[in-house]
Amino acid sequence: MNKNHTDSLAFDREHIWHPYTSMSDPLPSYLVESAHGVNINLATGETLIDGMSSWWSVLHGYNHPVLNQALTAQAQQFSHVMFGGLTHQPAIALAETLINITPKGLDRIFFSDSGSVAVEVAIKMALQYWQSQQRSEKHKLLTVRNGYHGDTFAAMSVCDPVTGMHQIFDNVLMKSVFAPAPRITIDQPWQAHETEQLAQLFEQHHHQLAAFIIEPIVQGTGGMHFYHPEYLKQVRHLCDKYQVLFIADEIATGLGRTGKLFACEWSEISPDIMCLGKTLTGGYLSLAATLCTEHIAKTISDGEASCFMHGPTYMGNPLACAVANASINLLLEQDWQTRVKEIELQLVAELLPLKAHPQVNDARVLGSIGVVETNAAVNVAAIQKRFVELGVWIRPFGKLIYIMPPLIIKPDQLSKLTQAISTVVNEVECFL
Ligand SMILES: *Cc1c(COP(=O)(O)O)cnc(C)c1O
């Protein structure tokens, strides 16, 4: 059954949930026919330049010949086998690469199917780690406000308590300890008082704390803030001092986005546990990984349960691993740092002047991420429609208009994105 464009959208609107969208009064969706490079082609014939990388995922653009080839070659071997009792080269190669390129000490790896699950796995590792040492009183999590770690229950419990989903699920969520969000930005001078309250919370709660979790350098969904690298150095120090595991959620920042391969590198620290996802497969399939130290893996394995209690059906899916290997190779075999720097310089030149605009509260850039924070919240339906008319795909939320385009974007295409942002900030109907 191949419905026409209008019927398809009507069916979609009636029957299919979209992320964070009402089913009674849904925001409009646009029907995609194909996508190639940085272009998303709609069924209506319009072509949009992609500013979102489909939520931090599409690193090398859509429909990439090398990634397509990796996927079809693997499909001709086998698309999936259970990971219980069986293993395969795509997973082995990917594990070897990730262990080599991630910060020192992370050399045990757990594959899962999405970012939220990678966070659940990280949290379960931390809890089992302490339980294995008969220290089950260390079962709470410490985090900062404005965080985002996914939509499953343990992940939700460390999302920002206000903008996250705490009110709705308050009765069932684990109670985490929240420190103030980091305030000093990456381009401001560091001040020691920034971590005073954090240090007090460590001191006060460490007997109960299993782990501290944070998105390194970039707080994404919780506000698109870029905070000072010294903050993570202090966190590393506090975690060591008070025997608390350090979980870095690099699901959005990993693999080059911020100008470093991993955002932890800004602070020259290694966490005890690291989560990866989003662009791991270059935006082809859902795949995530949780890495930990040998010490954590050994402690868990020597504990009462004698194994780690998790095992997704699609664990280490060969198609996903094969395309992840191809995507990471594509990244590493090019001068990706120069590429990110070029994008950064252009974003700085074209977005930062908007700071002076009366409707704009702040504009900031880090690596290939550009953010314009407006004074009023956006009207998503209206602004989305305008962006489509202007030939770009940018999906703002709250007061944040932000882009993180695929690395293959050309200067004129990137200018089209920044010009569209400059245009809409002048249009009152795009804001609430
Ligand atoms: C997107 C994201 C997640 C959740 O990943 P999903 O694949 O959507 O479950 C977790 N943490 C961070 C930092 C993210 O950006």
Side-chain angles (χ1 to χ4, degrees), residues 131-205:
Q131 208 157 47
S132 299
Q133 301 171 79
Q134 279 74 51
R135 297 200 56 190
S136 49
E137 76 283 1
K138 280 173 84 71
H139 66 278
K140 278 187 180 271
L141 300 167
L142 173 62
T143 187
V144 291
R145 289 180 180 265
N146 292 348
Y148 177 76
H149 297 285
D151 293 350
T152 50
F153 275 94
M156 268 198 292
S157 77
V158 283
C159 288
D160 185 83
V162 179
T163 60
M165 298 149 277
H166 287 241
Q167 298 89 333
I168 303 171
F169 300 109
D170 197 40
N171 290 336
V172 283
L173 283 187
M174 306 194 299
K175 299 284 176 268
S176 302
V177 182
F178 289 91
R183 274 160 302 210
I184 298 176
T185 62
I186 192 165
D187 49 9
Q188 289 173 334
W190 175 255
Q191 293 176 11
H193 65 69
E194 170 84 334
T195 48
E196 263 169 27
Q197 271 177 280
L198 180 71
Q200 278 164 14
L201 289 169
F202 267 96
E203 157 120 59
Q204 194 184 335
H205 295 282

Side-chain angles (χ1 to χ4, degrees), residues 55-56 113-119 147-152 155 214-216 218 220-221 249-253 275 277-278 286-288:
W55 280 338
W56 311 83
D113 22 34
S114 76
S116 299
V117 175
V119 170
Y148 177 76
H149 297 285
D151 293 350
T152 50
I214 194 166
E215 298 152 274
V218 180
T221 309
D249 178 351
E250 290 253 12
I251 289 167
T253 48
C275 303
K278 287 207 161 91
S286 185
L287 179 70

